[in-house]
Amino acid sequence: MFVFHSPKEMQIFANQVRKEGKVIGFVPTMGALHEGHLRLIRKARRESDITVVSVFVNPIQFDDPNDFSRYPRTLDEDRYKLEMEGVQVLFAPSAEDMYPPGFSTFVEVQNLDRYMEGAHRPGHFRGVTTVVLKLFNIVKPHFAVFGLKDAQQYYIVKRMVEDLNLDLEIVPHETVREPDGLAMSSRNRLLSPESRKQATALYRALKLGKEMIFSGERDPWKVKDEIRKFLEREAPLGEVDYVEIASIPDLQPVSEIEGKVLLALAVRFPEARLIDNFILLPDDKLVWNEKIG
Ligand code: PAF
């Protein structure tokens, strides 16, 4: 496996590979790789000649310095896992290389960041879209795989790609879960045993909301209210940041549940803040991000 730290070297390699007519698949990550990441990587491996995985804990997408400093960093383990998966390239730049002195350009997708994660983590998506665009320009992928646990991120990145005429495809991947339903996340490893137990409430709360909607409930306030009460009861260690039902793809809160909607929530445990969501198709009684592979 090639390991590049320098953006320039990564770019030269990507140019060469493209000249040879090879397809580059890309999985951007912040490391602390788990089975969820590995599934995305396997999808990229199946559909590309060269798979590039980036590991970069992007400082400009953290609104909370404590979250940034606590974010797990396990580059040696990550590297080993990527080698085991047969990944051809690991790109692991430093913050100084990505944001040298004088760095002044930021990318912002407006409106789609107004609610949910965008409202609760000011500046987060501006940091995400800026780094993702930089990574696309460095890695030059034909496609990039994004997990749907971060559904708002996926729709925002897709919007950016469309709006800026970027020449690549954004490929979604279903949310990958632990056997008890908890969505896989690098932050799960920070949870205390008691928080970890209560964290299954996120998935169970989504299932409760789904059942209400699939049984015909069309009032978003009733669904959100029931979910909030459920979370407060089942996860007393956590504090509910939000429960939202938003339109797709523009991510605005709905006043009536119809068509494809995003049911999303965030809960702040003492050790880590967790998010989860279902992308629901009520007419087909389908949870889109549980099944697309
Ligand atoms: O989803 C993530 O891990 C990050 O937001 C990403 C896309 C790697 C950008 O830093």
Side-chain angles (χ1 to χ4, degrees):
M1 182 172 74
F2 291 101
V3 181
F4 296 117
H5 297 289
S6 142
K8 196 73 219 162
E9 279 172 24
M10 178 71 242
Q11 219 166 26
I12 291 167
F13 180 87
N15 281 333
Q16 184 56 39
V17 165
R18 276 193 163 246
K19 241 190 244 159
E20 290 164 13
K22 292 185 176 145
V23 172
I24 302 177
F26 179 41
V27 183
T29 82
M30 297 205 298
L33 301 179
H34 50 69
E35 181 61 23
H37 293 114
L38 300 185
R39 298 264 198 95
L40 270 57
I41 288 164
R42 284 173 205 145
K43 187 174 177 74
R45 286 270 291 128
R46 283 195 297 276
E47 291 168 23
S48 64
D49 302 308
I50 301 288
T51 299
V52 180
V53 176
S54 63
V55 171
F56 179 58
V57 184
N58 175 32
I60 67 166
Q61 72 184 73
F62 286 82
D63 54 307
D64 173 1
N66 198 31
D67 186 26
F68 177 63
S69 62
R70 281 174 56 82
Y71 201 86
R73 289 156 171 90
T74 58
L75 189 60
D76 289 342
E77 257 176 64
D78 292 344
R79 183 181 175 147
Y80 176 74
K81 285 180 184 166
L82 295 175
E83 265 167 5
M84 291 296 104
E85 291 295 326
V87 165
Q88 290 88 350
V89 181
L90 162 62
F91 176 49
S94 68
E96 292 70 34
D97 275 334
M98 290 296 273
Y99 305 114
F103 182 89
S104 320
T105 307
F106 295 86
V107 184
E108 200 173 313
V109 174
Q110 297 186 336
N111 298 328
L112 277 69
D113 67 349
R114 196 174 292 164
Y115 299 96
M116 302 175 284
E117 288 306 284
H120 288 263
R121 302 182 65 190
H124 169 65
F125 285 119
R126 180 182 190 250
V128 169
T129 41
T130 300
V131 81
V132 167
L133 181 56
K134 279 173 69 71
L135 289 167
F136 287 169
N137 284 330
I138 296 165
V139 173
K140 298 178 183 276
H142 294 84
F143 69 88
V145 187
F146 282 79
L148 288 173
K149 183 186 69 84
D150 299 301
Q152 191 172 14
Q153 168 172 280
Y154 163 75
Y155 285 108
I156 286 178
V157 168
K158 250 173 91 76
R159 185 78 252 167
M160 172 181 77
V161 165
E162 218 171 296
D163 288 354
L164 300 182
N165 305 89
L166 303 184
D167 193 10
L168 82 157
E169 194 192 339
I170 302 301
V171 176
H173 192 286
E174 68 191 33
T175 303
V176 183
R177 299 186 177 281
E178 300 287 354
D180 62 8
L182 178 66
M184 288 191 187
S185 161
S186 302
R187 289 187 177 86
N188 291 352
R189 67 177 77 189
L190 301 173
L191 297 172
S192 70
E194 195 46 39
S195 295
R196 172 63 186 81
K197 243 189 255 168
Q198 293 186 19
T200 63
L202 276 77
Y203 179 60
R204 291 183 287 123
L206 290 173
K207 286 209 295 190
L208 170 74
K210 174 192 80 168
E211 291 310 328
M212 287 180 77
I213 294 170
F214 286 2
S215 309
E217 183 57 73
R218 290 293 175 263
D219 180 348
W221 295 106
K222 283 194 185 148
V223 179
K224 290 193 274 188
D225 228 46
E226 283 304 314
I227 289 182
R228 194 173 270 276
K229 279 193 250 160
F230 179 89
L231 286 170
E232 282 165 4
R233 196 174 60 240
E234 297 289 316
L237 280 175
E239 206 176 296
V240 181
D241 248 4
Y242 64 83
V243 179
E244 194 52 271
I245 302 179
S247 53
I248 288 176
D250 47 331
L251 308 181
Q252 305 302 303
V254 296
S255 52
E256 192 187 342
I257 298 167
E258 55 175 351
K260 197 173 182 179
V261 290
L262 173 63
L263 168 58
L265 47 82
V267 179
R268 201 175 283 277
F269 285 94
E271 308 81 15
R273 182 177 174 280
L274 303 182
I275 60 172
D276 202 351
N277 71 82
F278 276 171
I279 296 170
L280 297 172
L281 291 151
D283 295 339
D284 303 324
K285 296 204 187 328
L286 201 84
V287 184
W288 182 62
N289 53 335
E290 297 289 286
K291 280 277 164 278
I292 58 173

